[in-house]
């Protein structure tokens, strides 16, 4: 479970740092949007916007507020502080997480999180995107993945990630794992296909705690508003298509 939690945290960290930013310009005309993740049941997330960037995130179960977090950015548009102002277990709070960001010129080369986790970025391409990430963890958790190689298309979209993990199984045996994921995009720079490979091989689907299962091949299509932002997201796996998410913009 510790390994799984670390993996989920790492994924969230990566998405925050280097997610596709093509929709940021489109979001500048909106104050907020609400996303209903149908795969997750009755959860809704409301994102308040400031010049296209998410300034506040509120998570709701049905219509009950469960969590609220504010984000502050540096001049390069990277999150440098998160302030958790509400949690259903604690009520109002002021839990601050500061990130130590290190730059070389305008390129982010290092990001330090709480609990001793550090990401180091290198091998930048012509778009200023890092093609290599090394993750260092001084805490008691096993960080997965600890190394990642990334390839991009001409628009800066991630088209391939290769993640390297090393950890001990329940018998104390060291496991070296490589996870490769391929992405394809449509003209709006939204993902339309995901293909996953593992070495050693794994059986699909891979069931995730607290999230949807992962399949070897996943396909997506979208419906858009007049601004070019998606309002409905459909996923197809094993020949079956379902609606997985909806968005409303204001």
């Amino acid at each position: 479970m510790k390994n799984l939690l670390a993996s989920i945290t790492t994924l969230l960290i990566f998405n925050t740092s280097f997610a596709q930013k093509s929709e940021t310009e489109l979001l500048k005309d909106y104050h907020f949007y609400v996303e209903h993740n149908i795969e997750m049941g009755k959860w809704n997330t409301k994102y308040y916007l400031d010049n296209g960037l998410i300034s506040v995130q509120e998570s709701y179960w049905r219509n009950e507020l469960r969590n609220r977090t504010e984000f502050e950015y540096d001049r390069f548009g990277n999150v440098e502080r998160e302030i958790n102002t509400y949690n259903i277990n604690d009520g109002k709070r002021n839990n601050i997480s500061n990130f130590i960001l290190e730059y070389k010129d305008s390129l982010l080369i290092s990001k330090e999180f709480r609990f001793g986790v550090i990401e180091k970025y290198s091998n930048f391409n012509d778009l200023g995107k890092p093609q290599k990430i090394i993750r260092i963890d001084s805490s008691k958790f096993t960080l997965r993945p600890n190394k990642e190689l990334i390839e991009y298309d001409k628009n800066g979209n991630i088209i391939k990630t290769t993640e390297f993990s090393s950890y001990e199984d329940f018998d104390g045996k060291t496991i070296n794992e490589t996870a490769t994921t391929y992405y394809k995009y449509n003209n709006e720079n939204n993902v339309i296909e995901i293909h996953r490979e593992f070495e050693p091989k794994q059986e699909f689907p891979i069931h995730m705690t607290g999230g949807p299962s992962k399949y070897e091949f996943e396909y997506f299509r979208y419906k858009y508003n007049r601004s070019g932002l998606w309002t409905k997201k459909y996923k197809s796996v094993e020949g079956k298509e379902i609606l997985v998410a909806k968005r409303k913009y204001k």
Side-chain angles (χ1 to χ4, degrees):
M1 177 62 71
K2 291 179 180 179
N3 287 341
L4 175 60
L5 292 174
S7 297
I8 294 173
T9 300
T10 297
L11 177 61
L12 293 175
I13 288 170
F14 176 78
N15 284 341
T16 300
S17 301
F18 296 105
Q20 321 308 336
K21 297 183 179 180
S22 58
E23 69 178 6
T24 301
E25 289 296 322
L26 300 177
L27 289 171
K28 287 183 177 181
D29 294 330
Y30 293 89
H31 298 292
F32 66 87
Y33 69 90
V34 179
E35 182 170 329
H36 175 36
N37 190 328
I38 298 171
E39 285 186 299
M40 298 296 290
K42 302 295 183 179
W43 283 99
N44 291 286
T45 306
K46 186 172 184 179
Y47 300 93
Y48 292 90
L49 303 168
D50 182 6
N51 199 33
L53 297 175
I54 296 172
S55 58
V56 178
Q57 176 180 319
E58 294 179 345
S59 299
Y60 293 84
W61 170 253
R62 296 183 186 272
N63 293 318
E64 180 183 30
L65 178 64
R66 294 299 183 94
N67 193 75
R68 184 180 190 275
T69 301
E70 299 177 1
F71 302 92
E72 296 180 5
Y73 297 81
D74 66 9
R75 63 191 181 95
F76 297 106
N78 292 309
V79 175
E80 62 180 356
R81 184 175 295 108
E82 294 181 4
I83 307 170
N84 185 229
T85 59
Y86 180 82
N87 182 285
I88 193 169
N89 297 317
D90 304 323
K92 292 183 178 181
R93 59 193 305 197
N94 188 37
N95 189 10
I96 300 175
S97 297
N98 292 306
F99 307 119
I100 301 175
L101 308 179
E102 182 182 354
Y103 291 88
K104 183 176 182 180
D105 297 323
S106 60
L107 297 176
L108 180 65
I109 61 173
S110 177
K111 185 173 185 178
E112 182 175 345
F113 305 84
R114 296 175 64 186
F115 312 117
V117 176
I118 300 175
E119 289 187 342
K120 292 186 177 294
Y121 315 110
S122 60
N123 194 20
F124 294 88
N125 64 11
D126 292 339
L127 297 174
K129 300 280 189 176
Q131 298 176 100
K132 182 179 179 179
I133 300 177
I134 299 295
R135 296 184 174 97
I136 303 168
D137 184 11
S138 61
S139 71
K140 61 182 179 181
F141 297 110
T142 301
L143 190 65
R144 298 169 57 187
N146 51 4
K147 178 182 176 182
E148 186 167 358
L149 302 179
I150 309 165
E151 296 180 16
Y152 304 85
D153 65 15
K154 63 181 181 180
N155 296 320
N157 297 316
I158 297 170
I159 57 174
K160 180 183 177 181
T161 62
T162 306
E163 300 176 334
F164 303 89
S165 302
S166 181
Y167 58 94
E168 290 186 355
D169 63 12
F170 293 109
D171 298 322
K173 180 181 177 182
T174 299
I175 303 296
N176 294 310
E177 180 182 275
T178 302
T180 304
T181 307
Y182 302 88
Y183 302 90
K184 292 183 180 179
Y185 297 81
N186 59 14
N187 292 332
E188 289 77 20
N189 294 311
N190 293 129
V191 174
I192 57 173
E193 181 182 323
I194 295 176
H195 174 207
R196 299 182 174 95
E197 296 177 348
F198 287 88
E199 183 60 43
K201 294 185 180 298
Q202 295 194 22
E203 289 190 11
F204 293 95
I206 300 172
H207 300 291
M208 306 296 294
T209 301
S213 298
K214 292 185 177 181
Y215 290 80
E216 183 177 6
F217 289 93
E218 298 179 6
Y219 304 92
F220 303 88
R221 71 178 181 92
Y222 305 82
K223 290 188 176 180
Y224 296 88
N225 63 12
R226 293 181 178 180
S227 299
L229 293 161
W230 68 262
T231 57
K232 291 184 178 181
K233 180 179 181 179
Y234 299 85
K235 181 169 76 174
S236 294
V237 291
E238 298 181 342
K240 182 180 179 180
E241 183 181 73
I242 59 173
L243 176 65
V244 293
K246 296 190 294 185
R247 283 184 179 182
K248 291 184 177 181
Y249 305 86
K250 293 289 182 69

